Amino acid sequence: MEETNFDCLPDDLIIRIFKNVSAEDLCTIYNVSKRFRRLAFDRSLVRHSDFEQCYGTTPSSFTDYIKSNSSMLESLSLNHCYWLTGRCVETAVLKCKNLTQLYLLDIGLSTKQLCKILSSLQKLEALAFTVASVDEFDNNLNASESAQRTMCNIKHLTIHFKVGITPRTEPSISVQFIQKKNSFIEHCRELTSLHVMGHPNLGCGLPKLLLQPNVVKVSNLKNLKHLSLNYAIDPAARIFYYGTLMSVAKLHLKLKTVLNPSANFSSERNMDFWKNFWNSQDDLEYLDLSNISLKNIFPTIFDPGVVKKNLLYLNISQTDSREVGMNLATLGHVCPNLQSLNLKNSQLVYLHKGALEQVGAPIKQQMTFDIEGFSSLVSMCHQIVHLNLSNIHIHEVSGLQKTFVNALTTLTGLRSLALSPCCLRLQDCETREPEDSPGCSQSGKKQAASTVMVQYAKKRRISLHTASTSQPSVLPDSEDTDLDPASTLYPRCKTGLESLTEACPRLSHLELISAGLVRPVIHRGSIGLAPRPCVYVPCVESYALTDAELSYLGRLSNLQYLQLAGLPGIISGSFLSHIAKQCPQLKQLHLSYLGLTAHCIYTNQLCQAFQHFTSLIDLRLEHAYLSIDQLFCRSARKCRSLQRFCVVSKNGSLDPDAVTGLMSELPRLMVLQLFTDSTQTMCKKLMKALKDRFQSTRPALSVTIYPLFDQDTAYVMNKIPTKHLEELTIFSSKICQQPPGQCRVKVKTRDRSGKVTV
């Protein structure tokens, strides 16, 4: 009867339903019936095909899909389809003569195969590809006139440098700076956007061959509007990007996108370059000035008399704004239409007290959060929907947190937010003086508040130790409430997180990362991805974010991504089940260093919550004493939607049989990363066993199991596919790191009815 009712639906309605499924699902629907075979490959469904994250697509099903739709395909994205061989991709793409957009990032194509594809696709306008040797690509391109003609028509280009770099720099290495007239960039005459990407590899030393583009035909870049570089420590990508930027600056173009354009140049010649370059940038929509000293370029960029009315995205994370006459209020005046703002660890958010600097006061006392400037900023930039304030402390001043939370909650349209837990600590309820002692000084209030929180932390440790020695079960929520110093000393007031979730119910991406988590185990840095011991010193105020308060996150019914890191106030982890039940759309969950550092005490509650995570795709857990045992894996099997799973644990162990059972029970689990204290021999044996057993049925399977602090761990990490390395392995704040769609080109098209779609 159900089939009969479904068959009664008209074709156009079924096609509209099919528009909500992936290309992988269309391959499956194609085999259901003759009618579905006809409708699943309708031109409106397949002309813009995207296989990214289609981990279940086998090479054979992909080949059949292309064979059936090659004449209709206009846009094809194979970004990060690392399991498809170069020969398979080459054979399939060569059949698609009408392609105008082709995305091949992180695909194992040789430069010869890439040039062969370019020779065949004369209509191509947008191209993204990964290259290991630019010199080899140039040689193959210069040998093919048809490929050169295709490059002449390219308007949107993304080049991903994935250059192998040795972790140890040899003194005898000779670096060649190639200045060639026949570089591939010389053939691109119609470029409107150029995106350069680097691989987050070891970052120690330089490759033997670098390309520094001194563009000969600078006029070829006259149409350029978008220029970007991702957060790369890859020297090949940076040298190529900065060389191109210097060439572009000669044209005095009106750019709309400039991402990561600045280094801390010190010479006067470079200072003049920035002055001339930025004077004409009035049309900017996306701007990234992260990791620089603003004083080098501030006078020409953030001139208070020049309003950047088109600026929608601004990233000034990790910036030094000292000796600069600029503050948050000025920023709000200059950029009134901002929608995305990244202030992570930016000195711009602080008031620098010159008087205290002169007497040699400690740095922490010299900087106070500019609450008036922040209030002014959010009042002028009321359209902000994405905001990153992570790695910023807000405390030590009475009432500062409450004023901050009140200002933050005026942004009722927030969709993405990152901040430190101490920013949500409303101290006024705990630190206010009793009515019978009006003479209590401000310093006395602060000292009392600190004493309360220290005693609070001690009580939590004692109660945890008592519970762990008396019974293995976790503490109930009632005990958490009894330990709250606010409830014992002063009347309860509305918490910061409670106010936030009440005022911003549309939040879909949230990060609560302790500003005291200054150096996670795996992160980008001067030595690349080589793991180092974690440096984690939480501030006293961060203890106030407890299990009971985190339960307010259940109000965010639209929550899709949640990262909690460095929250020492967690005892039982009881909030996890509440979030799992109340946030049905949650797809990504990252938990790092919750509770005490010497005990991973939330695992029992996490195991109970697994069955309620109905949509969870990514799970990343980092804690020094987290073990993957039978109980954990038996519970994790209930999370049927899980696709990617990463564990980083310095002293943790793993049970090979339990891990094997977990893989067998979760058919959609394609990415497994376990960095623990297990032996290298056991890790290699387990990794090989999993690949031998599951690789044939899961072509996209990526298994990385290795001791965390082994000397070869960095090599192993460098072999992880870029997508998983960026999104799962590396610990980072991801909100506002890049504007959405940076490496994708939005192309307007018209369907048969004449309706314009993007």
Side-chain angles (χ1 to χ4, degrees):
M1 180 63 67
E2 293 180 358
E3 293 183 359
T4 304
N5 292 336
F6 196 85
D7 289 340
C8 292
L9 295 177
D11 288 356
D12 58 344
L13 183 56
I14 296 179
I15 291 176
R16 183 172 297 183
I17 296 174
F18 287 171
K19 286 183 178 180
N20 298 312
V21 303
S22 64
E24 176 186 345
D25 294 328
L26 288 178
C27 294
T28 304
I29 294 173
Y30 177 79
N31 297 316
V32 173
S33 64
K34 291 183 178 180
R35 187 187 182 204
F36 277 17
R37 183 172 303 178
R38 174 173 56 86
L39 298 178
F41 288 169
D42 184 83
R43 181 177 180 274
S44 63
L45 299 177
V46 302
R47 61 176 179 170
H48 301 297
S49 298
D50 188 350
F51 282 89
E52 186 174 348
Q53 295 184 340
C54 293
Y55 300 123
T57 304
T58 63
S60 59
S61 62
F62 168 72
T63 302
D64 293 340
Y65 182 94
I66 298 297
K67 183 178 180 181
S68 302
N69 304 298
S70 57
S71 61
M72 296 183 289
L73 280 171
E74 299 175 13
S75 173
L76 178 62
S77 174
L78 301 178
N79 281 347
H80 308 293
C81 294
Y82 51 87
W83 62 93
L84 298 177
T85 63
R87 181 178 294 275
C88 174
V89 172
E90 176 193 7
T91 303
V93 173
L94 287 177
K95 299 176 182 178
C96 307
K97 303 297 183 180
N98 296 319
L99 277 179
T100 58
Q101 302 176 56
L102 179 61
Y103 305 98
L104 301 171
L105 295 179
D106 214 19
I107 295 290
L109 279 171
S110 65
T111 55
K112 186 175 182 180
Q113 290 173 324
L114 180 60
C115 289
K116 189 175 180 181
I117 290 175
L118 290 175
S119 301
S120 177
L121 305 179
Q122 298 297 320
K123 298 181 180 180
L124 208 59
E125 296 182 356
L127 174 66
F129 65 96
T130 297
V131 61
S133 173
V134 178
D135 186 55
E136 184 180 343
F137 174 67
D138 286 338
N139 292 336
N140 283 283
L141 183 63
N142 292 331
S144 174
E145 293 184 1
S146 55
Q148 294 174 25
R149 287 194 295 269
T150 300
M151 291 298 294
C152 289
N153 298 325
I154 296 294
K155 296 180 179 179
H156 312 284
L157 180 65
T158 299
I159 177 170
H160 175 212
F161 288 85
K162 196 173 182 179
V163 183
I165 298 180
T166 57
R168 300 174 182 85
T169 306
E170 299 177 3
S172 60
I173 193 171
S174 60
V175 181
Q176 304 176 36
F177 292 90
I178 307 300
Q179 301 178 2
K180 299 182 298 184
K181 295 183 179 181
N182 295 324
S183 171
F184 78 91
I185 198 72
E186 303 293 345
H187 300 292
C188 302
R189 302 174 183 174
E190 302 293 334
L191 274 185
T192 61
S193 63
L194 174 61
H195 304 288
V196 182
M197 301 177 65
H199 185 63
N201 49 26
L202 306 185
C204 299
L206 299 174
K208 292 184 178 181
L209 195 62
L210 291 179
L211 175 67
Q212 181 176 358
N214 292 329
V215 182
V216 177
K217 300 177 182 178
V218 181
S219 59
N220 287 352
L221 304 175
K222 63 182 181 297
N223 297 320
L224 200 64
K225 295 293 183 183
H226 307 275
L227 186 61
S228 74
L229 171 71
N230 73 328
Y231 183 39
I233 55 177
D234 192 323
R238 298 186 70 84
I239 287 178
F240 180 88
Y241 175 81
Y242 288 129
T244 306
L245 181 63
M246 291 290 186
S247 300
V248 171
K250 300 175 183 178
L251 298 174
H252 304 288
L253 300 178
K254 298 281 188 178
L255 297 178
K256 292 186 177 182
T257 302
V258 182
L259 302 182
N260 249 326
S262 308
N264 287 323
F265 299 108
S266 57
S267 67
E268 293 183 1
R269 181 180 64 85
N270 286 323
M271 294 287 286
D272 292 338
F273 155 72
W274 289 120
K275 181 178 180 180
N276 296 330
F277 182 70
W278 288 116
N279 274 338
S280 60
Q281 302 309 309
D282 299 327
D283 297 337
L284 280 173
E285 296 179 1
Y286 305 101
L287 176 62
D288 185 344
L289 299 174
S290 57
N291 298 282
I292 67 166
S293 178
L294 289 179
K295 65 180 180 180
N296 288 350
I297 54 179
F298 166 76
T300 55
I301 295 183
F302 293 106
D303 184 351
V306 179
V307 178
K308 304 284 185 179
K309 61 181 180 179
N310 296 318
L311 198 63
L312 303 176
Y313 168 84
L314 178 63
N315 185 351
I316 49 177
S317 62
Q318 311 286 345
T319 53
D320 182 4
S321 61
R322 284 172 290 187
E323 301 180 16
V324 173
M326 177 184 176
N327 53 38
L328 292 178
T330 305
L331 179 62
H333 175 75
V334 174
C335 313
N337 297 317
L338 278 176
Q339 296 181 4
S340 300
L341 177 61
N342 192 337
L343 294 171
K344 174 186 176 183
N345 200 30
S346 174
Q347 299 296 315
L348 188 66
V349 304
Y350 295 111
L351 293 173
H352 301 281
K353 301 180 180 179
L356 290 177
E357 288 181 356
Q358 293 178 1
V359 299
I363 295 296
K364 290 185 178 180
Q365 296 181 16
Q366 295 173 15
M367 298 185 297
T368 301
F369 186 80
D370 184 6
I371 186 60
E372 293 184 2
F374 181 76
S375 300
S376 177
L377 172 68
V378 298
S379 64
M380 287 185 287
C381 304
H382 58 274
Q383 301 180 39
I384 290 180
V385 292
H386 310 290
L387 180 62
N388 192 325
L389 292 167
S390 58
N391 206 20
I392 294 174
H393 291 280
I394 301 180
H395 45 73
E396 296 182 357
V397 178
S398 179
L400 188 61
Q401 286 100 333
K402 184 174 182 179
T403 308
F404 169 78
V405 171
N406 290 339
L408 187 63
T409 52
T410 61
L411 299 174
T412 55
L414 273 179
R415 300 294 182 88
S416 305
L417 177 65
L419 72 166
S420 178
C422 66
C423 300
L424 299 175
R425 169 66 172 165
L426 298 184
Q427 293 189 46
D428 59 337
C429 286
E430 288 77 17
T431 63
R432 66 185 180 187
E433 59 187 313
E435 295 180 358
D436 57 349
S437 57
C440 183
S441 65
Q442 186 70 22
S443 60
K445 294 178 183 180
K446 295 179 183 179
Q447 185 176 1
S450 300
T451 303
V452 167
M453 292 313 303
V454 170
Q455 293 175 352
Y456 176 40
K458 290 180 178 179
K459 288 181 180 180
R460 296 174 71 84
R461 293 191 184 98
I462 294 173
S463 61
L464 175 62
H465 176 72
T466 304
S468 61
T469 55
S470 60
Q471 56 181 3
S473 61
V474 297
L475 294 175
D477 293 342
S478 59
E479 293 186 26
D480 291 348
T481 305
D482 294 340
L483 290 172
D484 193 344
S487 62
T488 57
L489 298 181
Y490 304 103
R492 179 190 179 276
C493 64
K494 187 176 290 186
T495 66
L497 190 59
E498 182 181 1
S499 301
L500 178 65
T501 55
E502 183 179 281
C504 307
R506 291 190 288 179
L507 274 173
S508 61
H509 293 68
L510 179 63
E511 294 177 347
L512 296 176
I513 304 176
S514 174
L517 190 59
V518 295
R519 195 180 71 191
V521 174
I522 304 172
H523 68 289
R524 295 180 179 89
S526 59
I527 63 170
L529 300 179
R532 295 185 296 177
C534 175
V535 177
Y536 174 37
V537 184
C539 57
V540 175
E541 283 80 359
S542 63
Y543 279 87
L545 206 58
T546 62
D547 296 88
E549 187 168 354
L550 285 174
S551 296
Y552 288 116
L553 294 176
R555 293 178 174 180
L556 305 176
S557 57
N558 297 320
L559 197 62
Q560 298 181 23
Y561 161 72
L562 176 63
Q563 179 170 185
L564 304 175
L567 306 182
I570 302 303
I571 287 188
S572 65
S574 58
F575 66 93
L576 290 170
S577 292
H578 188 70
I579 293 176
K581 296 175 183 178
Q582 301 298 322
C583 304
Q585 300 183 47
L586 189 63
K587 297 180 180 179
Q588 296 175 290
L589 179 63
H590 295 193
L591 305 176
S592 303
Y593 304 104
L594 303 186
L596 302 179
T597 56
H599 302 277
C600 191
I601 53 182
Y602 66 89
T603 50
N604 287 341
Q605 290 292 335
L606 179 61
C607 289
Q608 296 179 24
F610 273 131
Q611 58 183 325
H612 304 295
F613 285 118
T614 56
S615 302
L616 195 64
I617 294 177
D618 294 349
L619 177 63
R620 186 187 191 277
L621 305 175
E622 182 171 347
H623 198 282
Y625 291 89
L626 176 64
S627 296
I628 308 303
D629 52 18
Q630 286 287 350
L631 175 62
F632 183 90
C633 291
R634 190 162 52 246
S635 302
R637 295 176 190 177
K638 300 176 183 178
C639 188
R640 305 294 296 177
S641 59
L642 197 62
Q643 293 185 8
R644 301 192 297 184
F645 180 39
C646 175
V647 172
V648 179
S649 180
K650 178 182 69 172
N651 300 310
S653 60
L654 61 89
D655 186 332
D657 295 334
V659 174
T660 303
L662 177 66
M663 286 290 295
S664 61
E665 291 292 329
L666 298 179
R668 301 186 63 186
L669 186 59
M670 298 293 176
V671 180
L672 180 65
Q673 301 175 2
L674 303 177
F675 300 101
T676 62
D677 191 36
S678 302
T679 64
Q680 185 183 114
T681 302
M682 191 269 281
C683 290
K684 288 182 177 180
K685 183 178 180 180
L686 177 58
M687 188 161 53
K688 183 179 184 304
L690 293 177
K691 289 181 178 180
D692 292 343
R693 180 173 176 178
F694 299 105
Q695 191 77 63
S696 59
T697 56
R698 307 180 196 185
L701 183 66
S702 174
V703 178
T704 307
I705 304 175
Y706 219 74
L708 180 59
F709 289 118
D710 189 275
Q711 62 180 357
D712 295 328
T713 302
Y715 289 102
V716 176
M717 288 183 180
N718 206 33
K719 296 179 181 179
I720 297 176
T722 303
K723 181 178 181 64
H724 308 320
L725 190 64
E726 289 273 8
E727 299 177 358
L728 198 67
T729 313
I730 299 175
F731 180 97
S732 64
S733 175
K734 298 174 174 58
I735 290 176
C736 296
Q737 188 64 41
Q738 297 176 349
Q742 174 195 342
C743 297
R744 282 294 179 85
V745 180
K746 295 183 178 180
V747 180
K748 293 183 178 180
T749 59
R750 293 184 180 271
D751 57 19
R752 295 175 181 175
S753 63
K755 181 180 179 181
V756 177
T757 57
V758 179

